[in-house]
Amino acid sequence: MRERFELRGLVEGRAAGETLVVRGRLSFYGEVDPEKGILVDGRSIAGRILVMEGGRGSTVGPYILYALSRRRLAPSAIVVVEAEPILVAGAVMAAVPLAAGLPREVLKRLRDGCRAELESKPPKALLTIECSE
Amino acid sequence: MYLTREEERILAGEEGPSRQLAMKLIVRVGEALGAERLVKVSHVHVSGVSYSNIGDYGLEFIEALAASGRVAVYSTFNPAGFPLGGLEPPYAVPREYVNKQKKIIDTLIRMGFEPSGTCIPYTLREPRLGEHLAWGESSAVAVANTLYGARTNREGGPVALAAALVGRIYLWGLHLDHNRRPTKLVKVGASIRDVLTAGVLGYIVGSSFSGEVPYIEVNPLDKWQVVSLCAAAAASGNTAMCIIKGISPEDQGPPLGVEKVAVDRRDIEAAREEVETASIDEAELFFTGCPHHPEHVVNKILHVLERHGVSRLRRPIWVAIPGSAARSLRRAIAGLRERGVYILPGTCLVVSTLSRAGIKAIATDSVKTAFYMPRRHGIRVALSFLEDFVKKYGV
C-alpha cells in the first residue's frame, strides 16, 4: 500500500530509503552510538529514514548527529510527529532533511523496512511510504 | 521567515561555508519555533565548552566552524572543565582531558572569542536595558533578563555558537515584550540578607515556577544576592527571567490577575534542608564562586583570614573566578595557595572531572553548587559561609 503525507518541512533535502521506527522520543546523546550508528537496541540508523515521535534531552544531541553524518552513519532523513529546536539544530548541522507533522496514528502502525521517500522544501514536505504485505 | 538582504547573502554562502551553516541553523530553528524574523545581538555568550559536556564530537564541530568562520560580534565563553592559566588544580585531571579542553578553548579564541572562561559575562561587558543578546549559561541568562533588563533566551551550545558567527538570533520568546510580563506573584515574608538565603529563595522559585516569569516581592537585595537567586532558580527550574521588586528595570509594580504565592521563613528553612546533604564537620573543603566571584574576592578572603588571625587552613578553600583574571592575580594566587586557599580561574566544578577525585562532602555558599554536586558528582554538600569555615578550620 502506498501512502502520501503532506508534512511541515523544517530542514531541506531529498532522501529515499527504508524506514526505521522509534515509537517514542529519541535522545541522540546516550541512545545512539556515534561511532557505529546503532541504537541501544542494536538497530542501525545509518542511511535509514528515521521515523519517530521526536527528539528529546541534552543539548549535546546535535553534536552526535553531526558526528554521525561525518562518519556517513547518519539517517538519510528524519520524520517526526513533533520537532523541538535541538533536533532542528542537529539536522541542520548534519545536513539531514527533516520534516514534522506526521500523524501519531501513522507512527503507531508503521514498521521497519518500508520503502519511504521524503522531499523537504521548507515550509513544506512530502513523504511517501510503501509497505509490502 | 523574513530575512534582510544581508541575511539572505550569508544564507547563500557569500560569506563562506561556516557563516552559511550558522545562518541556516539560526533560520531553521527560528522557523521551527515560529519566529518571524531575526534580530541583531550585541553580545553572544556560549555555554557547553567544557570537554566533559561536549566531548570529542562537540570539539569536532567547533573545529569545523573555525576552519572558515570568525565571530561577527563581541563573544565570550563559559568556564572550562579545569582551571585555566597553567595552574596545577588541587584535584587530579587526566592528561588527555587537559589536552582536549585546551584544544576547545584555543579553537574558540582563534575564532575571535574573548579569552573569558567565565559564567559572569555581565562583568566583562555590562548589558543595557532592552538590548538583545544570545547567551547560553542558564544563570547568566537569568541575570541578564532580571538584573539588566537585557533580552535573551537560554540558547543551547550550537545555536549560541552560530549566533556568534552571524551576530543574530531569532526574534522569539524573551526577546518579545509580551513574554516578559510577570505570570506569578511571589510574596516573600522572610528576610533575605545574604547570598546563601537568596540562593535558597531562588531554589524555591525555580522548582515551584519553572518556565514562568515570577514577580518577586522581597526586601532590597544587592547585586550578588540577585545573581545567587537567579543561578539557583535557573538550576532547579527552567527560570530564565524574574522581575524583582525595585531592582529589575522592567518592574512596573506587582502584576494584577495572576496567581499569588507566599514564601515564608518556614518555606526557606524547609528548602534549605532539602538542598543540604552534609554537615560542615564532614566537609573536606569549602567551595565558593558558583557563579564566579569577580577577581576582587581575593582581597575579601585576605581580610577574612586577617580578621580571624588565621595564617593557614587545615581544610582548603577553593574559589572560582573568571579565567581572564588568572594573569593579573598570579602572585596573589601563589601566596594564598600556601595558606590553603586555592584560586581556580576559568573553571566550574559542575562541569569538572571532580567525580573521579574521591571527594565525599564539601561545604559551599552556593545553592546552585549544592543542587548539582550530588547529581553530577555524587558529592554531598553542606551550606555555610566562608567566614564560618575559616573560623572552624583556620589555624
Side-chain angles (χ1 to χ4, degrees):
Chain A
M1 192 177 72
R2 195 181 161 90
E3 289 182 282
R4 285 161 60 91
F5 302 97
E6 280 180 22
L7 305 178
R8 204 148 79 87
L10 293 173
V11 177
E12 64 278 16
R14 242 188 120 133
E18 282 183 13
T19 54
L20 184 100
V21 181
V22 174
R23 309 262 176 223
R25 295 182 165 273
L26 180 72
S27 167
F28 279 90
Y29 179 66
E31 292 175 10
V32 182
D33 181 334
E35 297 296 337
K36 295 185 181 137
I38 56 173
L39 298 176
V40 279
D41 63 15
R43 292 182 294 163
S44 167
I45 62 169
R48 303 294 164 85
I49 308 278
L50 176 60
V51 185
M52 58 185 186
E53 173 84 25
R56 73 172 164 81
S58 165
T59 50
V60 184
Y63 297 128
I64 304 293
L65 192 48
Y66 171 77
L68 285 166
S69 82
R70 296 250 303 205
R71 289 159 182 71
R72 301 184 180 283
L73 295 171
S76 57
I78 303 177
V79 175
V80 295
V81 177
E82 271 171 0
E84 84 297 307
I86 299 266
L87 180 64
V88 180
V92 171
M93 285 155 62
V96 172
L98 170 68
L102 183 76
R104 204 163 257 125
E105 50 91 17
V106 177
L107 176 69
K108 266 189 198 155
R109 61 179 160 82
L110 196 66
R111 51 184 168 76
D112 287 1
C114 295
R115 183 86 202 141
E117 211 177 311
L118 177 74
E119 183 162 8
S120 173
K121 265 191 192 163
K124 289 186 174 174
L126 189 66
L127 173 73
T128 56
I129 301 179
E130 198 169 358
C131 296
S132 53
E133 295 311 313
Chain B
M1 182 185 283
Y2 166 80
L3 297 178
T4 64
R5 202 176 294 169
E6 192 190 353
E7 288 159 0
E8 291 278 11
R9 251 178 15 86
I10 299 173
L11 192 61
E14 288 181 31
E15 290 193 9
S18 291
R19 284 215 171 133
Q20 181 180 29
L21 176 60
M23 183 57 90
K24 196 187 264 185
L25 215 151
I26 303 275
V27 169
R28 294 293 178 243
V29 172
E31 281 172 345
L33 291 167
E36 288 176 5
R37 64 178 178 92
L38 304 181
V39 64
K40 285 193 178 176
V41 293
S42 40
H43 178 175
V44 173
H45 180 73
V46 174
S47 64
V49 301
S50 140
Y51 182 61
S52 324
N53 270 356
I54 65 170
D56 288 325
Y57 307 113
L59 171 59
E60 208 173 298
F61 180 69
I62 294 174
E63 283 184 325
L65 275 188
S68 76
R70 286 192 50 86
V71 300
V73 65
Y74 180 74
S75 299
T76 50
F77 58 86
N78 235 20
F82 65 88
L84 305 178
L87 297 152
E88 200 59 38
Y91 53 94
V93 183
R95 165 94 0 229
E96 160 88 352
Y97 185 97
V98 172
N99 293 339
K100 290 286 175 64
Q101 180 68 78
K102 277 191 178 147
K103 228 171 171 180
I104 294 171
I105 289 168
D106 290 347
T107 309
L108 291 171
I109 291 172
R110 209 163 65 231
M111 284 166 81
F113 276 80
E114 182 79 15
S116 37
T118 187
C119 49
I120 52 169
Y122 38 86
T123 61
L124 300 178
R125 179 192 176 283
E126 197 160 290
R128 285 188 284 270
L129 175 63
E131 183 173 68
H132 296 277
L133 315 168
W135 284 10
E137 173 47 35
S138 65
S139 75
V141 166
V143 171
N145 285 309
T146 304
L147 188 63
Y148 295 100
R151 301 180 170 211
T152 175
N153 297 305
R154 288 164 75 148
E155 305 296 359
V159 172
L161 270 174
L165 289 185
V166 298
R168 289 165 171 84
I169 196 73
Y170 29 76
L171 187 66
W172 180 82
L174 289 175
H175 290 283
L176 298 165
D177 286 337
H178 64 267
N179 294 322
R180 301 179 65 83
R181 297 192 190 118
T183 56
K184 283 271 185 302
L185 174 56
V186 183
K187 287 180 169 253
V188 182
S191 117
I192 309 293
R193 301 285 172 214
D194 55 75
V195 286
L196 207 163
T197 317
V200 175
L201 175 60
Y203 171 81
I204 295 174
V205 167
S207 46
S208 320
F209 317 115
S210 178
E212 304 272 353
V213 179
Y215 183 95
I216 304 177
E217 236 179 62
V218 63
N219 57 266
L221 304 177
D222 70 23
K223 175 177 173 179
W224 294 100
Q225 290 165 354
V226 172
V227 167
S228 173
L229 187 160
C230 285
S236 70
N238 259 328
T239 309
M241 175 175 183
C242 306
I243 300 280
I244 301 178
K245 186 186 171 185
I247 291 172
S248 298
E250 289 160 278
D251 173 20
Q252 296 183 350
L256 302 169
V258 302
E259 191 193 338
K260 283 184 208 162
V261 192
V263 173
D264 61 21
R265 213 185 49 175
R266 273 169 317 190
D267 297 318
I268 298 276
E269 281 164 11
R272 183 177 167 149
E273 275 173 33
E274 208 175 295
V275 177
E276 189 158 31
T277 47
S279 70
I280 194 169
D281 296 321
E282 297 171 280
E284 295 158 52
L285 59 96
F286 186 89
F287 171 69
T288 185
C290 170
H292 278 172
H293 283 293
E295 57 180 275
H296 58 73
V297 70
V298 168
N299 296 325
K300 262 188 163 133
I301 292 172
L302 285 169
H303 282 307
V304 172
L305 294 177
E306 206 163 300
R307 193 155 55 230
H308 296 284
V310 168
S311 57
R312 172 177 83 69
L313 290 150
R314 287 183 291 123
R315 296 188 188 182
I317 293 176
W318 295 4
V319 188
I321 61 167
S324 44
R327 194 166 295 164
S328 60
L329 289 176
R330 218 177 174 87
R331 201 177 290 163
I333 289 173
L336 276 166
R337 217 174 166 113
E338 286 165 18
R339 306 175 68 178
V341 179
Y342 294 79
I343 306 290
L344 313 174
T347 193
C348 164
L349 291 193
V350 174
V351 298
S352 70
T353 54
L354 204 62
S355 49
R356 304 180 219 171
I359 294 166
K360 291 192 179 63
I362 66 168
T364 185
D365 54 5
S366 157
V367 174
K368 175 173 177 170
T369 297
F371 181 83
Y372 279 121
M373 280 298 132
R375 287 170 173 80
R376 287 284 191 105
H377 301 297
I379 294 171
R380 290 180 301 113
V381 178
L383 289 173
S384 100
F385 295 104
L386 180 114
E387 186 143 9
D388 294 330
F389 194 86
V390 167
K391 277 195 262 181
K392 194 169 168 68
Y393 295 113
V395 285

